[in-house]
Amino acid sequence: MPGELASRLQPIVAEAVTAAGFDLDSFEVQQAGRRQLVKVVVDSDDGVGLDEIAEISRTVSATLDENEHVLASAYTLEVTSPGLDRPLTQPRHWRRAKFRLVKVSPAEGAPFVGRVGHAGEDAARVLAGGKLRDVRYADVAKAVVEIEFKQPPAEDLKLLEDDASGMIAAGQAETEKGSK
């Protein structure tokens, strides 16, 4: 029942979250005694603050109340942002991890730690072992952000920033060349 209920509620909640300017990262409905526990995880490129979580919670609650015929029971709503231990599984996760240290476990080969630079639709540029490399998302078995307690080295950030600027300029030149 919760799985079927979740599949009916998910598009309704996703629309409310998107209208508020955020992404629905995950959605789950669980039975909790006589109530349903509705878990909503939201994110954005700029992160999500506590005030925004509160606002989204009010918006989603109002949306669920408007659709009480779908829920058909009392519910507890839990709205949160993803934790640091969330795996990087989508291009937007990699974009949001820009300049962060990540541990990458490739589908083939040894795991490595690197700093994320530009993240495109199919791959992210990662600075690992002092060298830039492209990491295709399809080749990653698992990737998670590593917690750092100090500022990243300025030279690493500059290298990644310069690389991203060069990639953008090269893409624009390629677009201009193709349009002539």
Side-chain angles (χ1 to χ4, degrees):
M1 171 74 174
E4 178 185 322
L5 181 58
S7 65
R8 290 191 318 221
L9 283 175
Q10 193 271 341
I12 296 166
V13 171
E15 184 177 321
V17 169
T18 302
F22 295 89
D23 296 319
L24 180 63
D25 201 61
S26 68
F27 179 78
E28 188 178 336
V29 178
Q30 298 175 348
Q31 190 69 41
R34 295 181 189 186
R35 304 175 74 85
Q36 301 291 332
L37 175 60
V38 179
K39 293 183 175 184
V40 178
V41 180
V42 297
D43 202 2
S44 82
D45 285 347
D46 299 324
V48 184
L50 290 177
D51 291 340
E52 294 161 322
I53 290 286
E55 182 61 35
I56 294 167
S57 183
R58 287 189 288 273
T59 300
V60 170
S61 180
T63 300
L64 291 174
D65 290 347
E66 290 170 9
N67 292 278
E68 65 184 343
H69 61 282
V70 177
L71 209 55
S73 68
Y75 68 90
T76 300
L77 176 62
E78 180 181 303
V79 178
T80 187
S81 61
L84 280 178
D85 58 346
R86 172 200 53 202
L88 307 178
T89 58
Q90 298 179 23
R92 65 185 161 98
H93 297 159
W94 287 85
R95 253 191 345 267
R96 292 171 185 162
K98 186 172 184 175
F99 300 138
R100 307 282 305 268
L101 210 54
V102 296
K103 181 175 183 181
V104 179
S105 299
E108 294 182 17
F112 62 92
V113 175
R115 192 165 304 282
V116 178
H118 174 77
E121 286 304 309
D122 300 317
R125 189 78 111 172
V126 176
L127 177 62
K131 296 185 181 188
L132 290 169
R133 64 193 277 190
D134 290 322
V135 176
R136 289 179 23 86
Y137 308 133
D139 298 336
V140 175
K142 183 177 180 182
V144 293
V145 171
E146 291 281 290
I147 298 172
E148 293 182 272
F149 295 103
K150 59 183 179 176
Q151 290 291 326
E155 59 273 7
D156 288 1
L157 298 180
K158 180 163 179 19
L159 182 61
L160 288 167
E161 195 66 54
D162 290 349
D163 180 62
S165 296
M167 290 176 71
I168 292 168
Q172 290 171 342
E174 196 62 36
T175 303
E176 291 169 8
K177 182 180 172 185
S179 64
K180 289 184 180 179

